[in-house]
Amino acid sequence: MNGADVDTGGRAGGTGIAVIADDHDRGGSPGHGPGRGPGRGPGRGRHGAGGRGRLMAGLRRRLVKRRIRIRRTRGRRLRRALVVLLALLANLVGAAVVAYHLTKIPEPHPETAMQSTVFVDDHGDYLGRRGPVDRQEIPLSQVPRYVQEAVIAAENRSFRSDTGISPRAIARAAWATVSGGDRQGGSTITQQYVKNALLSPEQTLSRKAREALISIKLDRTRSKDEILQGYLNTVYFGRGAAGIQSAARNYFGVDAKDLTVSQGAALASVINIPSYYEKAGSDPKVTAKLVDRWEWVLDAMAHSGAITSAQRAGARFPAFRFYPPGDTDGQRQYLIDAAASEAADRLGITEDQLARGGYTVRTTFDLTAQDATAELAADGTEKKTGEKTAEEKAADAKAGGKKRAEVKTSGDVRVHTAVVALVPGDGAVRVLYGGADYASQPFNDARDGAVEAGTALQPFSGMKLLAPLTDLTRTAAPTPLRLASAYATAAAHGVYATPYTVAKITRAGRTLYEAHPRTRTAMTRADAGMVAKLLYGRLDAAPATRTGAAGLRTLWQTTYDEHLTLTVALFAEHPAKGKKAALPAPLPYTAGSRSLSVSEGVWSKIVGTAEGHDPAAEPNPGLPTGQTKPILATR
């Protein structure tokens, strides 16, 4: 039994020892039961710390393996990315090449091709223009080199070397915008020309892309001078002027070829914001800002060697013409009407075609004398009733006799004054005063008005007149231009010269028409001498004067010598009122003094401009052998 017990106990003891050992291994302690008691907490803490360590070690192993794998595959992946990038780039380049070859340089759109025609007087002074767009094309050779360089300095300094587009210019423009510096265009001159002249102004990515392609192609197929010429002839300068030629006239009253360094730099500066800078000269704030930009342009020109340091130091900001400019009503439109009609006829085109053709029409008019005529004619007053002064009586007696001095008028009277001055034996018309204001009366009394001649035709009575004066004495109311031509024929010893108002027509520097006197014999030399004898009173008196009238309705006065014929015609009317038409009226008391004042004033003004000329030393091909050439025809 005991043995059994011992055996059992031994087994039991062994079992117990085993259990205890097992419990100890699990972190327990004797007397507290398996896994329970104070020893459980510390045992589980040690187990958790070991698990986290094993987890972190595993993560580190995986990261190391990944890094190793990345290192091993980096070259392969980079090669794949590079292949994809190159393929994409190749596709883009291929598409660009195809687009480049498919892109055609378009013709300038119609609005850009339009030009205006400019009219100047006999001295080259600006009269006005006709046409839908104030633009005239000129060759680059007529733009001074320093003006070209001023535009390049202001708009695209890399123009001479770029490829039509300039990433640097785009970046510079962006930086100027961000930093608050002078505004600069990101587009090159080539791009601006393409945008202004060849494409629509829409702001889309496709249009910008097309602009770039055309710019590159244009740069590769055209010279820089061709591109610059196109740009200068189309870029907008403000004040309604498109192109450098119109801008030079509108801002400074000169042709582009006559611009100074300072003027050229000023115009180049305006291109930046033309609608703002066009007010320079009349707005102090705008002027001050433009002066800053003008100096910036000049500094760039000096730095590049376009101008010398002396030219830079001597530059002064130029004076601008007043803005907004005045209209060309008043007297100038009478002159332009006459010249436009004649110029279109000489070129065999319509007046509308002339206006849009970009011509320069040099007229025969003397603008200074024309303006003086307008002032003298406007000085006369139109009295309704009242007695005359002693001076007025003396002037009226000299101009038309005492009978006119005794007449009074009543009611509103409008006096029309027409003045014609032309060159005998040549036909060039110097003055053509057809009314006080074109805006209120576009009809030209001097060229188209029929004025009763009365006794103004008496010197030609009984003589044999040849064409085109054949029916002169049978014409009761000739135009002032025609009567002046008849007296000019007598002054030229019987040689009739067809009156003309256009001396020369040019386009883009090329002469298309140049006037030559068209003469023929219209009266005998003896008859011309009789007219002269009648007018001169004595043969050695000059100039000759003839006063004629048709009752109290009209008054004529013609003064002439071999160099100038001047005719002044006056007539009066009661202006139209409502449905009541205008009616003839007696001339007012001042008619005689006005006629004499205009005649003497205009004569001295025109002849005075010919000072220094020796008539005897100037042969006249339109006059008989031995006669002198009219002074005014030689200017």
Side-chain angles (χ1 to χ4, degrees), residues 19 52 96 119 131 201 211 217 255 284 314 370 420 440 471 490 493 608 613:
V19 169
R52 282 195 299 273
F119 296 82
E211 173 190 304
K217 195 162 193 175
D255 289 328
Q370 183 78 22
V420 176
S440 59
D471 60 347
H493 308 284
H613 288 270

Side-chain angles (χ1 to χ4, degrees), residues 231-277:
Y231 176 77
L232 289 175
N233 278 324
T234 55
V235 67
Y236 184 63
F237 285 87
R239 296 195 177 188
I244 188 71
Q245 175 73 348
S246 295
R249 290 189 187 278
N250 287 7
Y251 281 90
F252 302 112
V254 300
D255 289 328
K257 62 183 177 60
D258 298 320
L259 288 169
T260 65
V261 170
S262 293
Q263 291 170 339
L267 289 182
S269 303
V270 165
I271 297 174
N272 182 238
I273 320 175
S275 60
Y276 177 76
Y277 287 132

Side-chain angles (χ1 to χ4, degrees), residues 262-417:
S262 293
Q263 291 170 339
L267 289 182
S269 303
V270 165
I271 297 174
N272 182 238
I273 320 175
S275 60
Y276 177 76
Y277 287 132
E278 67 182 1
K279 301 178 184 65
S282 60
D283 186 318
K285 182 179 178 181
V286 174
T287 304
K289 187 171 180 61
L290 184 61
V291 168
D292 290 340
R293 184 167 176 81
W294 171 79
E295 290 180 340
W296 174 74
V297 170
L298 284 174
D299 288 342
M301 294 175 69
H303 183 265
S304 68
I307 58 175
T308 65
S309 56
Q311 287 176 307
R312 175 64 186 96
R316 298 293 180 269
F317 191 74
F320 281 25
R321 295 180 68 189
F322 178 74
Y323 181 80
D327 57 35
T328 52
D329 288 335
Q331 289 305 301
R332 298 191 179 194
Q333 285 294 355
Y334 289 115
L335 308 183
I336 293 173
D337 272 357
S341 175
E342 184 176 325
D345 182 65
R346 295 290 179 265
L347 295 176
I349 59 178
T350 66
E351 288 192 44
D352 183 63
Q353 290 173 318
L354 177 79
R356 296 170 180 268
Y359 302 95
T360 296
V361 178
R362 191 181 191 94
T363 69
T364 61
F365 302 121
D366 184 329
L367 186 56
T368 301
Q370 183 78 22
D371 290 343
T373 302
E375 292 178 8
L376 290 165
D379 284 342
T381 56
E382 298 167 12
K383 295 182 179 180
K384 296 178 181 179
T385 59
E387 295 296 330
K388 297 173 294 182
T389 64
E391 291 79 5
E392 290 175 329
K393 289 180 180 180
D396 280 343
K398 180 179 179 182
K402 294 182 179 180
K403 183 177 181 181
R404 181 175 301 280
E406 298 168 357
V407 177
K408 296 181 181 181
T409 60
S410 60
D412 294 330
V413 173
R414 180 182 179 186
V415 177
H416 291 254
T417 303

Side-chain angles (χ1 to χ4, degrees), residues 136-265:
Q136 280 194 302
E137 286 190 4
I138 58 172
L140 191 63
S141 59
Q142 291 188 18
V143 182
R145 181 74 179 195
Y146 50 76
V147 177
Q148 300 175 33
E149 294 301 326
V151 172
I152 291 172
E155 293 297 303
N156 179 196
R157 295 179 186 178
S158 64
F159 170 72
R160 299 286 185 190
S161 59
D162 64 36
T163 59
I165 61 173
S166 175
R168 182 180 297 178
I170 296 173
R172 186 173 61 246
W175 172 250
T177 301
V178 172
S179 63
D182 283 311
R183 176 181 169 186
Q184 300 180 47
S187 299
T188 63
I189 282 177
T190 306
Q191 285 178 275
Q192 291 184 55
Y193 172 59
V194 170
K195 179 177 63 177
N196 295 338
L198 309 180
L199 295 178
S200 61
E202 61 180 336
Q203 296 294 325
T204 62
L205 290 176
S206 60
R207 194 205 64 79
K208 291 294 290 182
R210 188 161 179 249
E211 173 190 304
L213 285 172
I214 294 174
S215 298
I216 295 171
K217 195 162 193 175
L218 196 68
D219 189 79
R220 291 173 62 88
T221 57
R222 308 278 176 84
S223 69
K224 290 292 187 180
D225 281 353
E226 287 179 284
I227 295 171
L228 185 60
Q229 175 177 297
Y231 176 77
L232 289 175
N233 278 324
T234 55
V235 67
Y236 184 63
F237 285 87
R239 296 195 177 188
I244 188 71
Q245 175 73 348
S246 295
R249 290 189 187 278
N250 287 7
Y251 281 90
F252 302 112
V254 300
D255 289 328
K257 62 183 177 60
D258 298 320
L259 288 169
T260 65
V261 170
S262 293
Q263 291 170 339

